[in-house]
């Protein structure tokens, strides 16, 4: 079947939505994840996420003796990898522009039963990974979506074989999504994260709250300062990842009475842009900016916690928002 | 290259809550709002694509006055959109106001010489206004196209029908019913959605001529939409038609001044033309617009860095 001829008329509503957004205030562009979530599952997907379980070995060789330094280093890589996994600019082209990251399909490394990207998915939880819309390299001119795999389960790529997983991840970034070369350090971090993922069968979903996202901001900054100064690309991506998480918080604080909160969130992101500009130097100013940002996160956490119930992290408000949004998005032709 | 466009009718219902993907994906901000507050912009400013689509809907409902109002609003922002000019003229024709139909139809054929329907209706309008010379001249252009087309070109049927309609009208027969062609999406509006996605995919495959044909079709439904205009510019740029590319980027930015994709691609065009300082200005603008970072800024920054080091 020709993929262009299939499931594409969803663009009708999308295009109308573009129009609606064009007239909307700049500050309130809606929840970005709705671009790839099926409407019926959006509330659930935006309210909860599967719990995550990570396991680390200090060496890829199970027989190797663990040493505390190696284990610490491995956790640092996993932590950085987890942020990259949530960072759209790691990918390229249309995916990055849409705000899609690895985690959009693999929530906390699992699958995503509610992922349904117009024209690229068929049933929820599927995606055509050889679609020219996303890829300049892998388009096969056929609409052949596949189920999104749970990365905590054994898959077609061995997690144990050294370098095989890194090579596979590089192919995803560069060829499947038209991204730039991520560099060895980023690939090592991503592979470390994927290798550390473990099933969590008895776990209940955990609520998706403000600190979920703000925690990742802090995690990203922490990871960025720990890595080698020479790893500029990785540092840039990590701080970019922090800014992405701030945008996710910003879009949840949509109420017009939460302007102060939005201003504080934006201010931190702009300061992080300055930090990104200073990555190559690692001068005293870089560390000064880093400390300032860390302090800002603390202050922001308190400010946001006080008004979280009025934000779209509150499931009741989120549900009302989604209902209103669905009405507004109804196509008229 | 026309792909299969058989669409699944279930798609629409599934997309009701989808939000502006194309805003972030293709345009990274779509219109994005955020028009500046300069005095020249204090007058009402309309969403050119939304107004165009309102006009189409009004045409479908045979509410020609409402259609005219919407097309005028669209044109107040995007005056160079041939499709909007044509549909404005067509709406006046439906009200038998040939005097007012003339100018927008003339603009339509000037802006888009390949728009056969506009040629047809302009010839009819001239005839209705008693301007036989211009009616014959316009008919002559159509028959020239018809002859050049021969028996095999894609527009053969459309050209034959257009020539026949004009000749019939000039021969004294009132056209039975002035119908808007399907290519303007009034019958199968959703096809254009698929065409748009297809066009972007074709661009990714490097099939720029084919992409342009599909974007042209999508434009008939969506009018002066910044995403469509930006990709027309992009495809032309990839074919080294820099002047046309610039024209379309500018058109996109006229209807949506904060369109991230247009700002990025226009900046890349400036690099290709050796205007690094101009590209830098685009990057500054993107950084200002993207408080949380965006891929468009990342890409333009990379282009600038590579240009500086080469």
């Amino acid at each position: 079947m020709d993929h262009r001829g299939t499931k594409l008329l969803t663009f009708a509503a999308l295009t109308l939505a573009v129009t609606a957004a064009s007239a909307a205030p700049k500050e309130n562009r809606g929840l970005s994840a709705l671009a790839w979530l099926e409407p019926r599952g959006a509330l659930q997907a935006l309210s909860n996420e599967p719990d995550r379980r990570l396991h680390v070995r200090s060496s890829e060789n199970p027989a190797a003796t663990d040493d505390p330094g190696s284990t610490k280093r491995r956790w640092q890589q996993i932590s950085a990898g987890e942020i990259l996994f949530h960072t759209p600019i790691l990918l390229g082209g249309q995916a990055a522009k849409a705000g899609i990251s690895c985690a959009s399909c693999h929530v906390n490394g699992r699958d995503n039963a509610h992922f349904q990207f117009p024209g690229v998915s068929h049933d929820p939880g599927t995606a055509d990974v050889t679609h020219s819309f996303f890829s300049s390299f892998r388009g096969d001119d056929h609409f052949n979506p596949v189920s999104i795999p749970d990365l905590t389960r054994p898959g077609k790529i061995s997690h144990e074989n050294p370098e095989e997983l890194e090579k596979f991840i590089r192919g995803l970034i560069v060829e499947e999504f038209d991204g730039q070369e991520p560099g060895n350090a980023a690939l090592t971090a991503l592979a470390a994260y994927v290798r550390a993922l473990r099933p969590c069968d008895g776990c209940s979903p955990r609520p998706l709250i403000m600190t979920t996202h703000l925690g990742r901001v802090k995690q990203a900054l922490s990871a960025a300062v720990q890595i080698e100064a020479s790893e500029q690309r990785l540092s840039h991506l990590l701080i970019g990842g922090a800014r992405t998480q701030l945008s996710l918080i910003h879009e949840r604080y949509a109420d017009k009475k939460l302007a102060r909160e939005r201003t504080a969130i934006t201010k931190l992101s702009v300061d992080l842009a300055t930090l990104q500009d200073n990555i190559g130097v690692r001068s005293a100013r870089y560390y000064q900016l880093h400390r300032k940002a860390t302090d800002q996160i603390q202050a922001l956490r308190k400010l946001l916690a006080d008004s979280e119930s009025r934000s779209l992290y509150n499931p009741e408000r989120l549900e009302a928002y989604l209902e209103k949004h669905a009405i507004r998005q109804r196509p008229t032709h | 290259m026309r792909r299969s466009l058989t669409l699944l009718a279930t798609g629409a219902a599934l997309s009701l809550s989808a939000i502006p993907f194309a805003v972030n994906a293709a345009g990274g901000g779509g219109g994005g709002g955020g028009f500046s507050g300069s005095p020249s912009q204090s007058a009402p400013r309309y969403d050119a694509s939304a107004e165009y689509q309102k006009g189409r809907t009004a045409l479908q409902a045979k509410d020609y006055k409402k259609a005219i109002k919407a097309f005028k609003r669209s044109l107040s922002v995007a005056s160079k959109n041939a499709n909007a000019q044509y549909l404005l003229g067509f709406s006046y024709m439906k009200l038998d106001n040939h005097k007012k139909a003339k100018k927008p139809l003339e603009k339509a054929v000037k802006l888009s010489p390949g728009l056969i329907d506009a040629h047809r209706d302009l010839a009819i309008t001239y005839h209705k206004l008693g301007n036989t010379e211009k009616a014959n001249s316009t008919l002559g252009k159509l028959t020239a196209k018809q002859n050049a087309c021969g028996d095999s070109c894609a527009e053969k049927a459309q050209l034959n029908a257009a020539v026949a309609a004009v000749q019939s009208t000039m021969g004294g027969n009132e056209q039975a019913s002035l119908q808007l062609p399907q290519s303007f999406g009034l019958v199968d509006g959703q096809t254009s959605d698929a065409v748009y996605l297809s066009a972007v995919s074709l661009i990714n495959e490097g099939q720029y001529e084919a992409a342009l044909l599909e974007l042209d079709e999508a434009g008939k439904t969506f009018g002066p939409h910044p995403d469509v205009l930006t990709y027309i510019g992009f495809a032309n740029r990839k074919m080294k038609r820099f002047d046309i590319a610039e024209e379309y980027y500018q058109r996109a930015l006229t209807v949506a001044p904060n369109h991230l994709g247009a700002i990025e691609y226009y900046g890349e065009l400036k690099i290709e033309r050796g205007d690094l300082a101009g590209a830098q200005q685009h990057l500054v603008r993107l950084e200002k617009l993207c408080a949380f970072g965006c891929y468009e800024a990342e890409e333009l920054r990379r282009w600038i860095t590579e240009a500086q080091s080469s």
Side-chain angles (χ1 to χ4, degrees):
Chain A
M1 187 180 354
D2 183 329
H3 67 65
R4 291 193 181 82
T6 310
K7 204 77 172 182
L8 300 181
L9 101 157
T10 45
F11 255 68
L14 289 172
T15 306
L16 290 173
V18 171
T19 300
S22 300
K26 194 176 164 189
E27 270 211 332
N28 188 6
R29 288 182 180 169
L31 301 179
S32 51
L34 291 177
W36 58 84
L37 290 175
E38 56 139 348
R40 282 171 294 185
L43 180 62
Q44 189 185 338
L46 291 165
S47 305
N48 298 284
E49 60 179 26
D51 208 348
R52 84 202 213 287
R53 181 171 292 172
L54 299 169
H55 176 80
V56 64
R57 280 200 312 262
S58 62
S59 167
E60 292 313 317
N61 178 0
T65 307
D66 285 5
D67 75 84
S70 175
T71 303
K72 185 182 174 190
R73 207 161 41 248
R74 184 70 50 158
W75 273 116
Q76 287 173 350
Q77 289 172 336
I78 291 168
S79 182
E82 186 172 33
I83 295 302
L84 297 177
F85 201 79
H86 289 82
T87 301
I89 58 168
L90 174 73
L91 306 178
Q94 300 296 338
K97 288 181 178 181
I100 287 179
S101 67
C102 306
S104 304
C105 286
H106 306 283
V107 184
N108 273 339
R110 307 297 190 80
D111 55 10
N112 182 356
H114 305 298
F115 183 91
Q116 193 175 41
F117 195 96
V120 174
S121 301
H122 190 266
D123 295 327
T126 67
D128 180 358
V129 296
T130 52
H131 198 300
S132 291
F133 186 73
F134 283 134
S135 175
S136 305
F137 297 89
R138 292 193 176 175
D140 63 0
D141 212 20
H142 284 76
F143 185 60
N144 43 9
V146 295
S147 293
I148 295 167
D150 179 343
L151 302 183
T152 67
R153 310 283 178 187
K156 62 180 178 181
I157 301 300
S158 166
H159 287 192
E160 304 306 321
N161 189 349
E163 298 190 9
E164 188 177 354
L165 183 58
E166 282 84 343
K167 189 179 170 189
F168 179 74
I169 293 171
R170 182 204 163 272
L172 292 178
I173 295 168
V174 176
E175 295 180 2
E176 191 169 316
F177 290 104
D178 284 356
Q180 293 300 306
E181 287 290 349
N184 287 336
L187 285 176
T188 301
L190 281 160
Y193 171 66
V194 173
R195 286 193 177 105
L197 291 166
R198 291 292 181 276
C200 196
D201 292 331
C203 301
S204 302
R206 61 182 186 185
L208 213 167
I209 54 179
M210 177 271 292
T211 49
T212 309
H213 291 138
L214 195 62
R216 287 191 193 123
V217 177
K218 193 175 175 184
Q219 183 180 338
L221 281 187
S222 183
V225 81
Q226 284 167 354
I227 59 173
E228 296 292 325
S230 58
E231 299 294 352
Q232 292 183 25
R233 169 76 177 148
L234 178 54
S235 293
H236 182 84
L237 287 170
L238 288 169
I239 299 172
R243 297 177 73 195
T244 297
Q245 295 300 313
L246 286 169
S247 77
L248 299 179
I249 301 170
H250 186 274
E251 67 187 28
R252 297 264 187 162
Y253 280 72
D255 191 289
K256 63 183 177 184
K257 291 179 182 170
L258 299 177
R260 195 167 133 242
E261 285 81 353
R262 288 194 296 276
T263 301
I265 298 164
T266 305
K267 167 95 174 54
L268 177 53
S269 180
V270 171
D271 286 352
L272 290 182
T274 309
L275 187 64
Q276 276 181 311
D277 291 341
N278 282 270
I279 281 171
V281 185
R282 289 289 178 115
S283 60
R285 177 162 163 73
Y286 175 83
Y287 292 103
Q288 188 186 6
L289 287 167
H290 189 277
R291 274 195 302 277
K292 183 186 165 195
T294 306
D295 292 344
Q296 281 175 282
I297 292 172
Q298 292 276 71
L300 191 58
R301 181 177 179 139
K302 184 174 183 328
L303 175 69
L304 298 178
D306 288 346
S307 51
E308 187 168 3
S309 63
R310 286 183 283 152
S311 77
L312 296 178
Y313 287 108
N314 178 340
E316 287 176 9
R317 288 197 176 237
L318 177 61
E319 187 171 12
Y321 169 88
L322 291 173
E323 283 175 10
K324 185 178 171 189
H325 193 78
I327 291 166
R328 202 186 307 141
Q329 296 294 319
R330 181 160 295 151
T332 55
H333 72 273
Chain B
M1 172 172 151
R2 177 46 58 92
R3 311 296 177 107
S4 162
L5 291 172
T6 308
L7 302 173
L8 301 181
T10 53
L14 294 173
S15 66
L16 291 181
S17 75
I19 63 153
F21 150 68
V23 167
N24 294 316
F35 300 120
S36 73
S38 64
S40 63
Q41 292 178 320
S42 60
R45 186 180 173 99
Y46 299 102
D47 181 321
S49 179
E51 293 298 331
Y52 179 93
Q53 290 175 64
K54 277 185 202 170
R56 280 180 54 247
T57 304
L59 268 182
Q60 202 166 17
K62 302 189 190 322
D63 188 345
Y64 304 116
K65 285 184 180 172
K66 193 173 177 184
I68 287 166
K69 189 175 175 185
F71 290 129
K72 278 186 171 178
R73 284 178 169 179
S74 178
L75 287 162
S76 73
V77 180
S79 61
K80 291 184 177 177
N81 189 266
N83 295 326
Q85 293 284 7
Y86 169 57
L87 293 184
L88 176 62
F90 181 85
S91 302
Y92 278 125
M93 287 178 78
K94 294 296 281 187
L95 292 174
D96 276 331
N97 191 339
H98 297 283
K99 192 175 174 185
K100 285 197 172 175
K102 187 181 77 155
K103 192 172 266 184
L105 290 173
E106 286 175 339
K107 286 182 181 173
V109 298
K110 188 177 177 187
L111 288 164
S112 181
L115 201 51
I116 296 166
D117 306 303
H119 282 280
R120 177 200 64 196
D121 293 344
L122 180 60
I124 292 171
T125 295
Y126 282 141
H127 169 75
K128 294 280 186 184
L129 291 170
N131 193 334
T132 308
E133 186 182 342
K134 283 195 172 180
N136 282 326
S137 169
T138 308
L139 175 60
K141 287 176 186 167
L142 268 180
T143 51
K145 283 180 187 288
Q146 188 184 31
N147 294 334
C149 176
D151 291 330
S152 57
C153 85
E155 290 104 4
K156 183 188 171 212
Q158 195 185 0
L159 280 164
N160 289 346
V163 169
V166 176
Q167 287 172 335
S168 173
T169 305
M170 291 172 74
N173 300 318
E174 289 298 315
Q175 66 269 31
S177 172
L178 192 59
Q179 295 292 338
L180 198 64
Q182 286 191 10
S183 59
F184 278 88
L186 292 178
V187 176
D188 186 7
Q190 287 133 349
T191 301
S192 294
D193 305 320
V195 171
Y196 174 77
L197 182 60
S198 172
V200 178
S201 298
L202 286 166
I203 284 173
N204 276 341
E205 292 171 6
Q207 300 187 56
Y208 303 117
E209 288 286 8
L212 282 172
L213 289 175
E214 305 224 339
L215 287 166
D216 189 51
E217 286 302 304
K220 288 178 179 172
T221 300
F222 301 127
H225 194 289
D227 291 348
V228 174
L229 296 169
T230 298
Y231 276 119
I232 292 174
F234 184 84
N236 276 292
R237 189 181 116 218
K238 289 295 173 184
M239 292 187 292
K240 307 291 181 195
R241 300 171 186 161
F242 289 164
D243 288 347
I244 299 174
E246 183 172 39
E247 166 78 20
Y248 276 92
Y249 290 150
Q250 287 174 345
R251 285 194 198 184
L253 291 170
T254 299
V255 297
N258 294 339
H259 193 277
L260 303 184
I263 297 170
E264 178 207 335
Y265 292 146
Y266 196 0
E268 291 172 6
L269 171 66
K270 289 188 174 179
I271 291 172
E272 289 182 308
R273 284 175 154 177
D275 180 8
L276 207 54
Q280 290 275 16
Q281 289 176 351
H282 284 248
L283 179 59
V284 168
R285 179 148 179 72
L286 282 174
E287 285 173 339
K288 192 176 172 190
L289 288 168
C290 299
F292 299 97
C294 59
Y295 183 69
E296 290 82 357
E298 294 281 328
E299 273 295 279
L300 185 55
R301 190 179 301 111
R302 183 175 67 80
W303 272 69
I304 290 171
T305 304
E306 287 180 4
Q308 285 170 332
S309 61
S310 64

